[in-house]
Amino acid sequence: MLAKVPKGTNDILPEQIDCWYYLENKTREVLQNYGYREIRTPAFEHTELFVRGIGETTDIVQKEMFTFQDRKGRSLTLRPEGTAPVVRAYLEHNLGRENPLSKLFYIGSMFRCEKPQAGRYRQFNQFGAEAIGSPLPVIDAEIIAAALSIYKQLGLTDLKLMLNSVGCRKCRPQYLKALKDYFGEKREMLCVDCRQRYEQNPLRILDCKKEKCQLVIKKCPSIFEYLCEDCANHFNTLRNCLDNIGITYQINPLLVRGLDYYTKTAFEIVAEELGAQNAVGGGGRYDYLVEELGGKSTPAVGFAAGMERILETMLKQGIRIPVWDGIRVFIAVTSQEQVVTALSIANQIREKGISAEMDFLGKSLKSQMRTANKLQVPYVLILGSEELKENKVTIKDMVNGVQEEISLNDILAYLKKAYF
Ligand code: ATP
Ligand code: MG
């Protein structure tokens, strides 16, 4: 128990960290190229932010939040998603005042109390981007392009973009009514959760992953028969933008996304390799959220991507990730009296930007050489008492086994020649 992580959480071990650096670096690079700036918000917020921002009828708010009280009895919640916190920060710091269009992105851990399974964890990582301030479909196209560009830069192939519109305040009520009529007759065929969704927000039924519900959902009315002119135009213009920039998509009228604040555009990116949990990212427009959180009515669009699922897909697709070079120089001592000299040499090397390691366990020279071999260092510096008196050390090229004596003052020049 003491030496075990809580259910649904994972350690990222040093041997796995290169993948994360690679993913995070690519994400930053692409999103910055698209004009998005990084924002970092706290890991927890006032519970109310998520209740208001995500919606009372969502699975997240109803059963997935890690909510706790601080010592003064205030209710706080570990963030289950990144959009509401970004919008909270946008309002709190009045970011819209300087920029009529704020383009922000984040990378960080999210927390949801879900049943852990492949691709579904209780602490997981997302990157996401939000464009706050524009109602135009072209920004929806841009943010979709940005998301797809990250996947592409990572080397991922065969991803599918699913696209839908979920309407707006004007047209959604009619669609909800149509759904109520349709599901009303078939209520006994739905799961317990969906029966509750039927009462609270029938649109949520479309998101149910249970097979028996899916059978009923498959034949439900399509939102496209209910979209108002504004929403239909928005959708058509978005399609036109995507067609023009060569992005292919599949229209899926059943795609609703998990959150209440979405309007118009909804999209999801899926990787077939992943099986049941196959969404590597998703997003959409949320024109009511800023207002819902106390700001003035401001249109916005965003997406979020699951980083564990992306890495899993990269693994399944056999994508090679550049790994850390490892330690470049090992400083071996022949007597323990030399450890301080070794430390000083190691630090000088490190200060020049070259990685260096030495022994801290009082091992014999033979054993130190074994460690150096294990680390696969290209060079070992061997300190010997007689040589040190003359300000010299032995440098061994571990690739060809050649050893030579060099002056202490020449170590850096020697290594620099080898590395730069
Ligand atoms: P799902 O339908 O798989 O539950 P979601 O609609 O709840 O996804 P979003 O809230 O849109 O997901 O989050 C965006 C992305 O974050 C998802 O597409 C997925 O890649 C990832 N994600 C969501 N929940 C988890 C989780 N519990 N563990 C790992 N990744 C997750
Ligand atoms: Mg979910």
Side-chain angles (χ1 to χ4, degrees), residues 64 112 114 120:
E64 296 175 0
R112 296 183 194 175
E114 301 195 71
R120 199 176 287 292

Side-chain angles (χ1 to χ4, degrees), residues 163-167 175 221-228 231-232 235-236 239 250-255 264 266:
L163 196 62
N164 193 22
S165 174
V166 293
Y175 181 55
S222 162
I223 182 129
F224 289 104
E225 286 158 37
Y226 297 87
L227 290 184
C228 62
C231 287
F235 190 70
N236 290 332
R239 286 187 59 181
Q250 202 172 311
I251 294 173
N252 177 4
L254 299 178
L255 178 74
K264 296 189 166 81

Side-chain angles (χ1 to χ4, degrees), residues 24-275:
E24 290 162 5
N25 291 341
K26 282 275 183 243
T27 300
R28 288 201 172 90
E29 192 184 302
V30 173
L31 290 174
Q32 279 171 356
N33 285 347
Y34 273 79
Y36 290 79
R37 303 278 315 275
E38 184 167 352
I39 180 167
R40 300 186 189 186
T41 63
F44 57 86
E45 300 269 358
H46 297 295
T47 300
E48 193 54 25
L49 174 69
F50 299 116
V51 175
R52 286 291 284 273
I54 302 174
E56 309 237 22
T57 65
T58 58
D59 282 358
I60 294 183
V61 170
Q62 289 194 343
K63 50 188 187 196
E64 296 175 0
M65 295 206 301
F66 283 104
T67 297
F68 59 97
Q69 282 190 353
D70 71 8
R71 286 167 191 278
K72 294 246 167 74
R74 287 171 290 233
S75 182
L76 300 169
T77 293
L78 294 180
R79 62 175 176 203
E81 58 99 47
T83 303
V86 167
V87 171
R88 194 262 313 132
Y90 166 88
L91 289 172
E92 186 164 346
H93 305 286
N94 216 341
L95 300 181
R97 195 176 43 199
E98 283 139 52
N99 291 312
L101 177 63
S102 296
K103 294 169 80 173
L104 303 164
F105 78 88
Y106 58 84
I107 301 178
S109 290
M110 304 297 157
F111 308 84
R112 296 183 194 175
C113 192
E114 301 195 71
K115 191 167 150 236
Q117 50 199 291
R120 199 176 287 292
Y121 311 103
R122 291 186 170 177
Q123 176 172 355
F124 59 99
N125 293 278
Q126 283 185 340
F127 62 77
E130 318 290 349
I132 308 171
S134 170
L136 302 181
V138 66
I139 190 87
D140 305 30
E142 189 213 42
I143 214 161
I144 291 173
L148 292 176
S149 175
I150 298 171
Y151 299 122
K152 186 173 162 196
Q153 292 292 320
L154 291 168
L156 289 167
T157 53
D158 301 323
L159 297 182
K160 271 217 219 80
L161 169 64
M162 316 294 273
L163 196 62
N164 193 22
S165 174
V166 293
C168 67
R169 275 178 191 149
K170 218 161 74 196
C171 52
R172 195 154 48 202
Q174 279 88 287
Y175 181 55
L176 290 181
K177 187 173 174 306
L179 285 181
K180 274 214 137 167
D181 291 346
Y182 172 80
F183 287 116
E185 297 161 11
K186 304 182 173 58
R187 230 176 315 176
E188 64 292 349
M189 293 162 80
L190 299 172
C191 71
V192 189
D193 285 345
C194 280
R195 280 180 225 168
Q196 200 189 344
R197 290 175 185 132
Y198 175 84
E199 302 299 337
Q200 295 181 332
N201 179 1
L203 198 63
R204 308 235 46 73
I205 298 175
L206 307 196
D207 212 18
C208 184
K209 299 192 172 67
K210 297 207 180 73
E211 212 170 308
K212 67 172 185 180
C213 296
Q214 277 301 324
L215 288 173
V216 185
I217 293 163
K218 252 192 347 217
K219 299 203 186 87
C220 78
S222 162
I223 182 129
F224 289 104
E225 286 158 37
Y226 297 87
L227 290 184
C228 62
E229 201 185 331
D230 183 30
C231 287
N233 285 341
H234 188 97
F235 190 70
N236 290 332
T237 311
L238 168 61
R239 286 187 59 181
N240 201 8
C241 292
L242 293 175
D243 293 341
N244 271 297
I245 56 174
I247 291 177
T248 53
Y249 51 87
Q250 202 172 311
I251 294 173
N252 177 4
L254 299 178
L255 178 74
V256 288
R257 317 272 314 113
L259 318 174
D260 266 359
Y261 49 64
Y262 284 98
T263 49
K264 296 189 166 81
T265 313
F267 63 91
E268 200 157 71
I269 296 139
V270 299
E272 292 308 331
E273 284 91 349
L274 291 182

Side-chain angles (χ1 to χ4, degrees), residues 9-10 25-26 58 61 65 123 132 137 139 141 149 152 191 205 312 324 343 349 358 366 369 379 397 399 406 409:
T9 68
N10 297 291
N25 291 341
K26 282 275 183 243
T58 58
V61 170
M65 295 206 301
Q123 176 172 355
I132 308 171
I139 190 87
S149 175
K152 186 173 162 196
C191 71
I205 298 175
E312 183 64 27
W324 178 55
L343 186 61
I349 295 172
M358 56 182 276
K366 204 169 152 196
M369 293 310 281
Y379 294 101
D397 182 328
V399 179
I406 59 170
N409 296 327

